[in-house]
Amino acid sequence: MLKTGITSKMFYRSGGSYGTPTWTEVSIINDLTQNATAQEAEANDRSSPVNKSVITSIDLNWTGTMKKDLSATWTALYEALLEGATLDCLFLDGGSTTNNTTGYRADVQVFDVTEDQGRNTRLYNSVKFMPTESDNPVKAVLVTAGALTYATVTGTTLSYA
């Protein structure tokens, strides 16, 4: 199945509970990039002159641009930055009921809402979402039979439930 960026979706929990969320799509997102970068530690020994490394942890975050339209969605994301609030979010490469869609669910904080106010610029905000300390672990998401299934990201394999 061909995947394209325009079909990707971001949602935040606007109501309900963690177990039974009410998701609101963030349709004002223009561009969004998922960044997953491994951190490394040296793993050298004298068996080889080649430097070796091992993965120790993963930096996971999402950066992009969102239209500044003062909608309820824009306000919720902007106020999350100002208040230091945590948002329960889904970042998916397709629709939330489209089979074989994958992505992540994470409690995030908004770390950037930069605004280019150039004279010939439509106002967009550059945004950055990063997982934050929470009782809920970051989970990988797979849509199966039209429903979200989750797997905890443990650094080994993913087992969706």
Side-chain angles (χ1 to χ4, degrees):
M1 171 186 206
L2 175 66
K3 298 218 177 219
T4 60
I6 199 162
T7 62
S8 298
K9 308 281 184 190
M10 177 187 171
F11 300 86
Y12 74 99
R13 181 167 49 94
S14 58
S17 65
Y18 188 83
T20 55
T22 300
W23 295 111
T24 296
E25 182 178 349
V26 183
S27 60
I28 59 174
I29 290 286
N30 179 31
D31 295 316
L32 193 66
T33 301
Q34 179 175 285
N35 306 291
T37 306
Q39 296 299 304
E40 62 190 68
E42 184 179 291
N44 295 322
D45 57 33
R46 293 184 182 192
S47 67
S48 171
V50 176
N51 289 328
K52 297 176 272 184
S53 299
V54 295
I55 293 175
T56 58
S57 60
I58 299 169
D59 282 335
L60 181 63
N61 64 75
W62 297 266
T63 56
T65 58
M66 68 178 179
K67 189 183 299 183
K68 184 175 184 180
D69 65 358
L70 305 181
S71 64
T73 299
W74 181 89
T75 301
L77 298 178
Y78 189 72
E79 287 180 351
L81 169 75
L82 296 177
E83 298 167 1
T86 298
L87 297 171
D88 180 5
C89 290
L90 284 173
F91 300 92
L92 304 174
D93 65 6
S96 61
T97 59
T98 305
N99 288 337
N100 298 315
T101 290
T102 61
Y104 291 94
R105 180 180 185 180
D107 285 346
V108 301
Q109 288 186 306
V110 180
F111 282 85
D112 181 26
V113 183
T114 300
E115 182 174 289
D116 176 359
Q117 295 183 351
R119 205 175 80 162
N120 294 317
T121 302
R122 163 61 166 104
L123 294 184
Y124 278 83
N125 297 120
S126 296
V127 291
K128 183 174 186 177
F129 305 95
M130 296 175 65
T132 191
E133 186 173 24
S134 164
D135 291 337
N136 306 311
V138 174
K139 294 182 177 178
V141 178
L142 172 66
V143 178
T144 304
L148 300 170
T149 56
Y150 301 103
T152 301
V153 178
T154 63
T156 56
T157 59
L158 299 175
S159 176
Y160 294 95

